[in-house]
Amino acid sequence: MKRLLIVSLFILAGQVYAQDLQQKISGAFSRLQADSQCSYASLSLTVLDAKTGEQVFAANPNMGLATASTLKTITSITAFNILGADFKYQTQLGYAGEITADGTLNGDVIIKGAGDPTLGSWRYEQTKEAHVLALMTNALQKAGIKKINGRIIGDDSIFGSQSIPEGWIWQDIGNYYGAGTSGLCWRENQFDIKLRTGVVGNPIGISRTVPLMPNLTFKSELVNGATGSGDHAYAFLPVGSTVMYLRGSYAIDQDKKSISAAIPDAAYDAAYRLADTLRKLGITVSNGAESAATLNAKSLQVPLIAKNITTIQSPPLSRIIYWLNQKSINLYAEQLLKTIAWKQGRKPTTANGVEEVQKFWKARGIDPNTINTYDGSGLSPGDRVTTATLAKILQSAKKESWFADLYESLPVYNNMKMKSGSINNVLCYAGYQAHNGRELCFSIMVNNFSGTSRGIKEKMFRVLDVLK
C-alpha cells in the first residue's frame, strides 16, 4: 500500500506538472494572439514530447501556413532518412576523343555533375574553388593532356533545364538566395557585385564583379539610400537573358558596398573557370567553355565521357545539412529535394521531389495534404504546412542514429536550438528544447503579422521562453 501510494503521488505530480506547463504555454500563446501585431494574422503552435510524441500543447495545429525556412527541417530529415548521413555526391571529370602522342586531346573535356551543391564552395576545405580546380588540372596533366583541340563542357543535364521551382517570386530570382538548381553547381551558384556609391538619391554604379563574369552585362537602376535605410538592392535576370538589372536602393553607410547575385548558368561558369586555369598553366583550349544550356541553344548535344580520369566527392550529407540549416542555404535544400527524387528512381525534378517527400511521410502516418509545398527550402510564399506535421517530423528524428547531426545543424536563437524562417510578413521557428529534464519539440508559425519583424520576434520568444 505504501509503494502504491508513492507511485500514485508521482503520477499525480507528473499530471500537475504537465497541466501547469500546458497552462503557461496557453497563457503565453493567448497573449501573442491578442497582440495588435497579430490582429489580422494566422497563428499556430504545436509542442510535443520529443521522446514519446505525446501532445503537450496545440493551438490551430492543423492550419496550413507558410513555413518560410523552417521547411528546411522537413527536407533535412527526409534526406537523412532516404539518402543516409554518409551519402556523398560524385562529380566526374573525363574526356571524349583521343589523345595523340604529343599530348593533344582531339575532343572535349567534360565535367559531369551529379547535383553536388558544394562544388567550389568556400565552406569546406575540400570543396574550395582553388582546390577543386587543382584536382581537375592535375588529373588532366596525369592523363598526358598538354593541349585541348576541343571544348571544356560543364554537363549539368542530370537535373534537367528547369532550375527555378514553380512558386518562387520574381523579386527573389536573380539574387544569391534565389539561385536556381543545377546538375553542376559552382561556388554555390553565386557571385558578388561591387557597388560604387555616392550622393543620396543619385544612381549607384558598378565597379566590378568577383569573380569576373564576362558572359554577363549589367545595368544599374540602383539609387543611393539615406543613412540607416539599409540594403534594399535586388538583382533581376530575365530567363534566357545575359543582361542583369540591379534595382532598389542601397544606403550610403553600408560597409560592404557589395551584393551577391545568382549565376544563371553555373555549369558554364565551372567550365569557364577550368578553361581559364588551364590557359594560365599553358594548356590551350581551342573552342572555349560550354554547358548543356549553351549547347542546346545551338541544337548540339553534350557528348558522353569516353574515359573518366577522376571523381570528386562531396562532403557527407551530415556536413551538407549542417551548413544548410546553419546558414539557411536555399540552394542546398533544393538540390537535396531533387536528389531525393533521383534516389527514389524518379526523374530529378522539384515536383517529383515534393511528391517523394509527401509519399515518404504518408507511409509513416502523416497526411500528405499537410505538406502542400512547391519547393524544399520554404522560399515560396505558397508553401503550406501544419505545425502538427512539422512537430511530428521533428519528433520522429529523435530516435534516429543521425539525430545528433541534425541537432548540431540547428542554429541557436533565444538560447534555443531551432530553425528560423522569415519571408514577407511571415515568421516561424521549429526545433527542440528541454523543460525541467523533459525533452520537447515544437513548431510555431505566424503568418500575415503587422509591424516589424523584430517586434513579432520578441513576442514569439516570450511564448517559447515558457518551454525553457
Side-chain angles (χ1 to χ4, degrees):
M1 288 294 292
K2 192 174 182 180
R3 283 198 297 269
L4 183 61
L5 180 60
I6 292 170
V7 170
S8 299
L9 286 172
F10 270 118
I11 292 171
L12 182 61
Q15 289 174 343
V16 170
Y17 157 78
Q19 289 171 358
D20 183 53
L21 175 60
Q22 188 179 52
Q23 288 170 359
K24 286 180 178 178
I25 300 172
S26 179
F29 186 81
S30 295
R31 286 189 290 275
L32 175 64
Q33 206 164 24
D35 190 89
S36 60
Q37 278 200 271
C38 297
S39 295
Y40 309 105
S42 299
L43 297 81
S44 178
L45 170 63
T46 298
V47 181
L48 303 178
D49 185 299
K51 283 188 175 180
T52 66
E54 177 192 353
Q55 180 177 289
V56 176
F57 178 82
N60 304 321
N62 297 318
M63 180 184 289
L65 296 173
T67 63
S69 285
T70 58
L71 180 61
K72 291 182 175 74
T73 59
I74 295 179
T75 303
S76 297
I77 292 168
T78 310
F80 269 125
N81 276 295
I82 292 177
L83 303 176
D86 297 326
F87 172 83
K88 294 180 181 179
Y89 290 93
Q90 299 191 36
T91 303
Q92 293 181 315
L93 178 72
Y95 63 85
E98 299 292 334
I99 302 172
T100 63
D102 67 353
T104 299
L105 170 63
N106 290 313
D108 302 313
V109 171
I110 303 157
I111 313 167
K112 185 170 181 58
D116 180 4
T118 71
L119 197 70
S121 170
W122 57 92
R123 301 184 198 276
Y124 318 80
E125 286 300 320
Q126 74 198 77
T127 67
K128 288 182 177 179
E129 183 176 7
H131 180 69
V132 173
L133 289 172
L135 289 176
M136 291 182 180
T137 53
N138 289 341
L140 291 168
Q141 289 172 325
K142 285 181 180 178
I145 297 172
K146 300 176 182 177
K147 180 181 178 181
I148 299 169
N149 186 21
R151 307 160 293 187
I152 306 292
I153 299 172
D155 182 2
D156 60 339
S157 57
I158 189 172
F159 276 4
S161 60
Q162 185 176 355
S163 64
I164 303 298
E166 295 174 7
W168 282 17
I169 64 173
W170 173 237
Q171 189 180 44
D172 294 332
I173 301 166
N175 301 285
Y176 76 95
Y177 61 87
T181 58
S182 176
L184 178 60
C185 293
W186 187 248
R187 295 184 75 252
E188 296 190 5
N189 298 0
Q190 63 177 274
F191 67 101
D192 296 330
I193 303 172
K194 301 298 180 180
L195 305 176
R196 197 166 51 245
T197 56
V199 180
V200 174
N202 284 5
I204 291 176
I206 297 171
S207 60
R208 69 187 193 282
T209 65
V210 180
L212 293 174
M213 301 296 291
N215 57 322
L216 293 178
T217 55
F218 300 88
K219 291 188 177 181
S220 176
E221 297 174 1
L222 275 174
V223 295
N224 288 281
T227 299
S229 59
D231 175 2
H232 298 285
Y234 295 91
F236 295 88
L237 183 69
V239 175
S241 173
T242 57
V243 180
M244 180 171 279
Y245 293 84
L246 304 186
R247 295 176 178 139
S249 65
Y250 191 87
I252 58 172
D253 62 331
Q254 290 285 111
D255 292 332
K256 197 175 179 184
K257 303 287 190 271
S258 175
I259 65 170
S260 296
I263 298 174
D265 188 348
Y268 174 85
D269 198 64
Y272 175 84
R273 304 303 163 191
L274 178 57
D276 187 54
T277 303
L278 290 170
R279 178 184 58 79
K280 291 173 182 175
L281 293 172
I283 301 173
T284 59
V285 181
S286 64
N287 294 331
E290 298 277 6
S291 68
T294 61
L295 289 175
N296 288 340
K298 301 170 187 176
S299 299
L300 298 173
Q301 298 291 319
V302 177
L304 297 175
I305 290 178
K307 182 171 178 58
N308 188 57
I309 57 175
T310 194
T311 299
I312 300 171
Q313 290 192 338
S314 74
L317 180 74
S318 58
R319 302 318 298 161
I320 293 174
I321 285 178
Y322 175 82
W323 285 115
L324 160 64
N325 288 321
Q326 281 286 317
K327 295 298 181 182
S328 204
I329 307 170
N330 295 325
L331 175 68
Y332 282 22
E334 300 309 328
Q335 295 288 122
L336 287 180
L337 189 65
K338 284 189 169 184
T339 307
I340 287 168
W342 167 81
K343 182 69 172 180
Q344 299 295 72
R346 303 280 301 280
K347 185 177 179 181
T349 66
T350 298
N352 285 346
V354 168
E355 284 185 13
E356 289 305 318
V357 170
Q358 291 172 326
K359 283 168 61 178
F360 180 85
W361 293 109
K362 181 181 180 181
R364 286 149 185 82
I366 291 176
D367 187 341
N369 292 314
T370 65
I371 311 174
N372 186 10
T373 58
Y374 290 92
D375 60 18
S377 63
L379 187 59
S380 171
D383 291 333
R384 296 290 182 270
V385 178
T386 67
T387 61
T389 283
L390 208 162
K392 286 175 187 174
I393 291 173
L394 287 171
Q395 191 272 325
S396 74
K398 193 70 177 61
K399 66 181 184 302
E400 302 294 343
S401 60
W402 40 258
F403 175 74
D405 292 321
L406 174 71
Y407 187 80
E408 183 192 11
S409 78
L410 298 177
V412 175
Y413 299 105
N414 193 39
N415 294 318
M416 302 172 77
K417 270 286 198 178
M418 57 186 181
K419 184 76 192 73
S420 67
S422 63
I423 52 177
N424 189 32
N425 299 112
V426 168
L427 188 59
C428 309
Y429 294 96
Y432 302 89
Q433 179 61 37
H435 180 86
N436 292 337
R438 187 183 189 187
E439 296 177 61
L440 306 172
C441 58
F442 63 89
S443 170
I444 184 170
M445 302 182 192
V446 178
N447 282 198
N448 200 43
F449 63 83
S450 306
T452 66
S453 294
R454 181 177 179 179
I456 197 69
K457 177 176 71 174
E458 291 173 354
K459 292 161 187 173
M460 291 173 73
F461 282 177
R462 288 175 202 157
V463 177
L464 295 177
D465 281 342
V466 179
L467 305 184
K468 293 180 179 178

